[in-house]
Amino acid sequence: MEELRALLPGQWMDTLWLGLQILLILIAAFVLQRMVARGLRSLGERYPLPHELMVPVRGALRWLIMGSALLFVLERLGVSATVLWTALSGFVAVAAVAFFAIWSVLSNLLCAVLIFTVGPFRIGDVVELVDTLDKPGVKGRVIAINLLYTTLMETPEAGGALVQVPNSQFFQKAVRRWRGTEVATVAKDAGVEAD
């Protein structure tokens, strides 16, 4: 070691030593992660643990080990753990507030995907959101389905206005639905002209 120190200037030796320490931390974290994964796999084979349980546990432990290794590396590079903890907690707080603020938008987006894939109603159907059985809710023909809301055209008796209903409402309330062809048949039988 002394011979190497004599050949290289002091600054190079310190940098080389720091790089070696970081490399050792990363190798130790990788080996530890592999040992934990192998141990969890043998534990899952020995005891009848469901695969659905083992996958998130293995992922969480992998992130914990690699995150700890990253903290050790940053500590070796001179970053204070207090600064890291303050930054992380501040980021989590802002993310939580932002997630809470856009929850209704995300809910409507998810419900739009469900409306498109499951197909509880289609454009041209007549739907009614039922608040309670004795109180009628919003009723109209579906004329558009967007990512945030579904547009209904009320019947002429109700005013014929366009009503934009948030998509999440279709999964929170009871919905009555008449397919577009059913409405025409019922109106024809009643002697009324269909919209």
Side-chain angles (χ1 to χ4, degrees), residues 2 7 20 55 65 118 121 124 135 144 183 191 195:
E2 289 299 322
L7 290 175
L20 183 63
V55 170
I65 292 168
V118 176
F121 55 84
K135 180 179 160 188
V183 174
D195 306 339

Short mmCIF file of all heavy atoms in Angstrom, two decimals, residues 2 7 20 55 65 118 121 124 135 144 183 191 195:
data_model
loop_
_atom_site.label_atom_id
_atom_site.label_comp_id
_atom_site.label_asym_id
_atom_site.label_seq_id
_atom_site.Cartn_x
_atom_site.Cartn_y
_atom_site.Cartn_z
N GLU A 2 1.95 1.20 0.77
CA GLU A 2 2.86 2.34 0.84
C GLU A 2 3.54 2.58 -0.50
O GLU A 2 3.77 3.72 -0.89
CB GLU A 2 3.91 2.13 1.94
CG GLU A 2 3.35 2.21 3.34
CD GLU A 2 2.74 3.57 3.63
OE1 GLU A 2 3.28 4.61 3.19
OE2 GLU A 2 1.70 3.61 4.30
N LEU A 7 3.79 6.03 -5.43
CA LEU A 7 3.71 6.20 -6.87
C LEU A 7 2.66 7.24 -7.27
O LEU A 7 2.83 7.96 -8.25
CB LEU A 7 3.38 4.87 -7.55
CG LEU A 7 4.49 3.82 -7.53
CD1 LEU A 7 3.99 2.52 -8.13
CD2 LEU A 7 5.70 4.32 -8.31
N LEU A 20 -12.96 2.66 -4.20
CA LEU A 20 -12.93 1.28 -3.74
C LEU A 20 -13.97 1.04 -2.65
O LEU A 20 -14.65 0.01 -2.64
CB LEU A 20 -11.52 0.94 -3.24
CG LEU A 20 -11.30 -0.50 -2.79
CD1 LEU A 20 -11.50 -1.46 -3.96
CD2 LEU A 20 -9.91 -0.67 -2.20
N VAL A 55 -43.82 -11.95 -3.84
CA VAL A 55 -43.33 -10.97 -4.82
C VAL A 55 -43.21 -9.57 -4.20
O VAL A 55 -42.15 -8.95 -4.31
CB VAL A 55 -44.22 -10.98 -6.08
CG1 VAL A 55 -43.89 -9.81 -6.99
CG2 VAL A 55 -44.06 -12.28 -6.83
N ILE A 65 -32.71 -2.69 0.75
CA ILE A 65 -31.27 -2.94 0.72
C ILE A 65 -30.56 -1.96 -0.21
O ILE A 65 -29.54 -1.36 0.15
CB ILE A 65 -30.99 -4.41 0.31
CG1 ILE A 65 -31.47 -5.34 1.43
CG2 ILE A 65 -29.51 -4.62 0.02
CD1 ILE A 65 -31.50 -6.80 1.03
N VAL A 118 -65.23 -2.00 -19.59
CA VAL A 118 -66.32 -2.85 -19.11
C VAL A 118 -67.59 -2.59 -19.91
O VAL A 118 -68.35 -3.51 -20.19
CB VAL A 118 -66.56 -2.63 -17.60
CG1 VAL A 118 -67.75 -3.41 -17.10
CG2 VAL A 118 -65.31 -3.00 -16.82
N PHE A 121 -72.43 1.20 -20.26
CA PHE A 121 -73.33 1.90 -21.19
C PHE A 121 -72.50 2.38 -22.36
O PHE A 121 -71.27 2.40 -22.31
CB PHE A 121 -74.07 3.06 -20.50
CG PHE A 121 -73.17 4.04 -19.83
CD1 PHE A 121 -72.58 5.08 -20.53
CD2 PHE A 121 -72.90 3.95 -18.47
CE1 PHE A 121 -71.75 5.98 -19.91
CE2 PHE A 121 -72.07 4.85 -17.84
CZ PHE A 121 -71.48 5.87 -18.57
N GLY A 124 -75.42 6.78 -27.02
CA GLY A 124 -76.74 6.52 -27.57
C GLY A 124 -77.69 5.89 -26.56
O GLY A 124 -78.90 5.93 -26.74
N LYS A 135 -86.56 9.24 -5.26
CA LYS A 135 -86.14 10.52 -5.82
C LYS A 135 -85.38 10.28 -7.12
O LYS A 135 -84.31 9.68 -7.12
CB LYS A 135 -85.23 11.24 -4.81
CG LYS A 135 -84.74 12.57 -5.26
CD LYS A 135 -83.88 13.19 -4.17
CE LYS A 135 -83.00 14.26 -4.76
NZ LYS A 135 -82.03 14.74 -3.81
N ALA A 144 -71.60 11.76 -25.21
CA ALA A 144 -70.13 11.78 -25.25
C ALA A 144 -69.59 11.21 -23.95
O ALA A 144 -70.17 11.40 -22.89
CB ALA A 144 -69.61 13.19 -25.46
N VAL A 183 -84.97 2.12 -26.18
CA VAL A 183 -85.68 3.39 -25.99
C VAL A 183 -86.60 3.64 -27.18
O VAL A 183 -87.76 4.04 -27.02
CB VAL A 183 -84.67 4.55 -25.82
CG1 VAL A 183 -85.37 5.88 -25.76
CG2 VAL A 183 -83.84 4.33 -24.57
N GLY A 191 -96.39 5.35 -28.43
CA GLY A 191 -96.91 6.34 -29.36
C GLY A 191 -96.20 7.67 -29.28
O GLY A 191 -96.72 8.69 -29.72
N ASP A 195 -86.21 10.46 -29.27
CA ASP A 195 -85.22 11.53 -29.55
C ASP A 195 -84.25 11.06 -30.58
O ASP A 195 -83.60 10.11 -30.46
CB ASP A 195 -84.42 11.89 -28.29
CG ASP A 195 -85.33 12.24 -27.12
OD1 ASP A 195 -86.47 12.59 -27.35
OD2 ASP A 195 -84.81 12.16 -25.98
#
